[in-house]
Amino acid sequence: MKIYVASSWRNTYQPSVVQQLRDDGHDVYDFKDSEGFHWGEVDPHWQTWTPQGYLNGLEHPCAKRGFTRDMQALIECEACVYVMPCGVSASLEAGWACGAGKRVFVYVPALREPDLMVKMAELVTTELQAIREALRT
């Protein structure tokens, strides 16, 4: 099964989730791989951007490439595993997947802040094993 793992660059659980799902035989998209996008490609000082600087950064060829790559993987996936804690991009990805009728699972190994709308997902759990089992059906 093609799986999109939505999370954050800062999420330390994401690499293990990707690996365990791959170990189960799934084709898992990893946005952190060697072709993955990072704002540092656009500007090494991206963390000091103004709102207009951010909007300008969205138009940079690297940002457009990263968006296209991530979006294509999201379109092609059959399921999305949302790994908390994460941020706005992962939330948009999981929300898009829900709206597109894809299977969505939320894994909560740690919490930065609660999020009500994860209730859209098929399963919200602290146990990755529960998601791995659900993906087998």
Side-chain angles (χ1 to χ4, degrees):
M1 176 180 295
K2 284 190 168 196
I3 299 174
Y4 189 99
V5 174
S7 193
S8 164
W9 275 93
R10 293 180 298 271
N11 188 303
T12 58
Y13 301 96
Q14 184 268 355
S16 174
V17 170
V18 167
Q19 188 57 56
Q20 289 181 64
L21 295 173
R22 285 180 175 165
D23 289 348
D24 289 344
H26 299 292
D27 179 3
V28 183
Y29 178 71
D30 182 5
F31 67 88
K32 290 185 180 183
D33 69 10
S34 62
E35 295 180 37
F37 169 78
H38 192 277
W39 285 111
E41 295 177 72
V42 174
D43 178 359
H45 307 291
W46 64 273
Q47 292 175 311
T48 63
W49 280 350
T50 63
Q52 187 59 54
Y54 164 64
L55 295 179
N56 294 342
L58 286 171
E59 296 306 315
H60 190 280
C62 289
K64 289 180 177 182
R65 174 192 49 82
F67 172 79
T68 299
R69 181 176 182 260
D70 289 355
M71 197 66 216
Q72 189 62 43
L74 193 54
I75 289 166
E76 292 174 0
C77 80
E78 298 164 86
C80 175
V81 176
Y82 178 78
V83 182
M84 293 177 81
C86 50
V88 175
S89 286
S91 296
L92 281 167
E93 292 161 347
W96 185 92
C98 279
K102 312 234 181 216
R103 297 181 75 189
V104 176
F105 303 89
V106 177
Y107 174 45
V108 190
L111 187 64
R112 182 173 54 223
E113 61 187 59
D115 184 348
L116 180 64
M117 298 312 285
V118 298
K119 291 179 69 62
M120 285 188 278
E122 181 175 326
L123 176 65
V124 180
T125 181
T126 59
E127 301 296 326
L128 182 58
Q129 186 60 34
I131 293 171
R132 293 171 76 185
E133 289 171 11
L135 285 167
R136 289 187 191 111
T137 62

